[in-house]
């Protein structure tokens, strides 16, 4: 009979692959913007190049680590945890840069930046704690097999 063998790592991978595709699409949009501005300005803005390279590198890294985690490789967990830490540090840099640009603007921007920061750091902390879980590490390191207590699909009707 057909059984549902969806592991928690698969749900995490689906989420991370969606984020990777989003980042790669953003990198492509920024690249298109740089290419269209080259007709008017022969030297592109350094900020746009940083954004394009950052999104492209992060999206590609997430795809590589997702494929590694799908194959239950041990290095993929360390890669994701390192990427999450780097993402948190990069977000602090982005917040610092935005705060320098919006120093004299109204308070509403500060509230939006603080809210987005809470959201970003919550996602990063949840990702790190999820991948550091003992059951997740035991599954990846092969110490125990995944539990299979799902009912058969035809029994659910």
């Amino acid at each position: 009979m057909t059984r549902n063998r969806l592991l928690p790592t698969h749900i995490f991978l689906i989420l991370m692959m969606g984020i990777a595709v989003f980042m790669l699409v953003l990198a492509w949009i920024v690249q298109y913007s740089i290419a269209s501005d080259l007709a008017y300005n022969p030297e592109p803005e350094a900020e746009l190049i940083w954004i394009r390279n950052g999104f492209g590198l992060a999206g590609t890294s997430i795809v590589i680590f997702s494929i590694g985690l799908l194959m239950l490789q041990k290095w993929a967990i360390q890669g994701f945890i390192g990427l999450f830490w780097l993402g948190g540090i990069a977000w602090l840099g982005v917040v610092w840069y935005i705060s320098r640009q919006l120093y004299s603007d109204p308070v509403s921007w500060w509230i939006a930046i603080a809210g987005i920061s809470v959201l970003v750091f919550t996602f990063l902390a949840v990702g790190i704690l999820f991948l550091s879980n003992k059951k997740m590490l035991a599954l990846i390191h092969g110490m125990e097999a995944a539990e299979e207590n799902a009912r058969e699909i035809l029994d659910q009707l």
Side-chain angles (χ1 to χ4, degrees):
M1 285 287 168
T2 305
R3 292 184 181 266
N4 183 8
R5 297 177 191 263
L6 192 64
L7 298 174
T9 54
H10 294 143
I11 297 169
F12 180 76
L13 292 174
I14 291 168
L15 174 69
M16 293 311 294
M17 289 296 257
I19 291 171
V21 167
F22 178 71
M23 291 179 126
L24 291 172
V25 167
L26 283 178
W28 178 72
I29 290 171
V30 172
Q31 172 60 30
Y32 181 76
S33 172
I34 290 172
S36 65
D37 286 345
L38 283 178
Y40 305 110
N41 187 7
E43 191 169 316
E45 294 181 29
E47 296 169 349
L48 290 178
I49 294 175
W50 276 98
I51 292 170
R52 179 201 60 193
N53 292 346
F55 279 134
L57 185 63
T60 306
S61 299
I62 290 173
V63 168
I64 291 169
F65 294 142
S66 295
I67 292 171
L69 193 59
L70 183 65
M71 296 184 327
L72 298 177
Q73 297 295 316
K74 298 175 185 176
W75 54 265
I77 289 180
Q78 299 303 321
F80 265 123
I81 290 174
L83 194 64
F84 288 154
W85 277 105
L86 285 175
I89 293 169
W91 182 252
L92 283 175
V94 167
V95 168
W96 177 79
Y97 178 76
I98 291 172
S99 67
R100 299 290 289 175
Q101 298 293 324
L102 301 174
Y103 184 69
S104 62
D105 280 351
V107 179
S108 61
W109 283 105
W110 294 102
I111 294 171
I113 291 172
I116 293 171
S117 294
V118 167
L119 186 68
V120 166
F121 288 128
T122 301
F123 282 138
L124 294 175
V126 166
I128 290 170
L129 292 175
F130 174 74
L131 291 173
S132 299
N133 188 359
K134 286 183 181 180
K135 289 187 179 184
M136 179 63 60
L137 293 175
L139 175 71
I140 298 297
H141 293 293
M143 293 180 209
E144 66 182 43
E147 286 185 31
E148 186 160 337
N149 53 1
R151 299 183 316 176
E152 294 182 8
I153 292 175
L154 295 176
D155 290 341
Q156 297 176 5
L157 299 175

